[in-house]
Amino acid sequence: MLSPLARTLSSAALLVLFAAGCGGSDQPSTPADPAQPLKVVATTTQVADFARNIGGDRVRVHQLLRPNVDPHDYEPSPADMRAIAEADVLVKNGVGLEKWLEETISAAGFDGPVVDASTGVRIRDGDPHIWHNPLNAKTMVATIERGFAAADPGDSAAYQANRAAYDAKLDALDTEIAKRIESVPADRRKLVTNHDAFGYYLDRYKLTFVGSIIPSFDTSAELSAKQVSGLVAKIKATGVAAIFSEASLPPKTAEAIGREAGVTVVAGEDALFGDSLGPEGSAGATYLQMEEHNTDTIVNALRGTAV
């Protein structure tokens, strides 16, 4: 019996093969062709944003995960399968976040370079949410730049220049976040979130993690009744100012715990962007916007100045 993912992959792979046989150029472009952009497939919204910033007009990025979609819920479409099959480079987050990727690559028949953006990042306890520290993001974009330069040496200078410009923005972001967090009284720098997505952020900016609605890196995990009562008790005992919901997760459980604990729940348009960037036009449409929004939301709620 095939799993749902395996059935999806099988159907999508057949459609890709059929489409490939029905037309198109007999001479596919190569990465060395200066007239053609590098064909890049990026798994997550974050690494896709990094790829666009590093590649500029020299790349064409196909993003697998859509905004506000949990990475654990991904199922490949025929368009995704075809993009993977035709890609010059595939970029992934790594650290086990894309558990479905190896099977998807195999079904698509892709045998090109895979850039693991987590290379060189110091991983904490197997946590894949590495992008929530801007210094980790700098390591990720450096890895992506090297991957693009290896696949397209003729444009390596452009990739390097784009990375330098983006590094400056990441440095400025890091400085601003630290400044904003420091404006919160030390005894109020405590966080309760939907799931364990913000460990790197907490470590970088010296906030205290009190607990999460889903005590796991994986949003498919569930909170037991005992864990719910324990979290409520901990919130009351530590004087947590707010519970932060996430844009890609339903806020119902967080709101129930907030009512029981007697604290504000930050949700709706103010929800944090955890696993995914937001859609175009939202406060989290890019990586830089996402981290700015998250920081403003956290600071305002912890200081008691949220609207």
Side-chain angles (χ1 to χ4, degrees), residues 142-296:
T143 298
I144 293 169
E145 183 232 313
R146 289 193 296 271
F148 287 177
D152 178 21
D155 285 316
S156 59
Y159 300 138
Q160 187 174 18
N162 290 343
R163 190 197 76 172
Y166 195 62
D167 275 354
K169 295 178 181 179
L170 292 172
D171 285 333
L173 173 70
D174 179 55
T175 299
E176 182 60 25
I177 292 175
K179 181 180 177 182
R180 295 279 286 138
I181 296 298
E182 286 170 6
S183 74
V184 178
D187 63 345
R188 294 178 67 87
R189 296 176 197 170
K190 302 168 185 174
L191 232 61
V192 175
T193 58
N194 259 118
H195 81 300
D196 297 348
F198 296 93
Y200 294 95
Y201 186 97
L202 292 163
D203 287 353
R204 175 63 184 160
Y205 303 110
K206 306 297 187 294
L207 290 103
T208 299
F209 178 64
V210 174
S212 57
I213 309 304
I214 304 171
S216 172
F217 301 141
D218 187 340
T219 56
S220 63
E222 295 182 0
L223 193 66
S224 69
K226 182 178 179 180
Q227 288 171 318
V228 169
S229 60
L231 180 58
V232 169
K234 201 171 182 182
I235 290 170
K236 291 179 177 179
T238 56
V240 167
I243 296 172
F244 297 92
S245 186
E246 295 171 40
S248 60
L249 295 171
K252 184 178 295 185
T253 304
E255 290 169 346
I257 289 175
R259 285 193 297 271
E260 191 171 344
V263 298
T264 299
V265 175
V266 180
E269 290 185 359
D270 291 328
L272 302 183
F273 294 96
D275 279 350
S276 168
L277 300 183
E280 186 176 353
S282 73
T286 69
Y287 173 78
L288 298 174
Q289 290 176 309
M290 172 187 73
E291 296 298 349
E292 290 168 356
H293 164 84
N294 285 352
T295 299
D296 286 343

Side-chain angles (χ1 to χ4, degrees), residues 68-114:
N68 279 346
V69 172
D70 190 311
H72 307 98
D73 295 336
Y74 171 74
E75 289 190 1
S77 68
D80 290 342
M81 296 293 285
R82 176 156 189 158
I84 293 170
E86 297 176 349
D88 298 316
V89 180
L90 189 147
V91 183
K92 68 175 184 176
N93 179 84
V95 204
L97 184 67
E98 306 98 331
K99 298 182 186 301
W100 36 264
L101 185 58
E102 187 173 339
E103 189 177 357
T104 304
I105 286 174
S106 177
F110 175 75
D111 60 358
V114 176

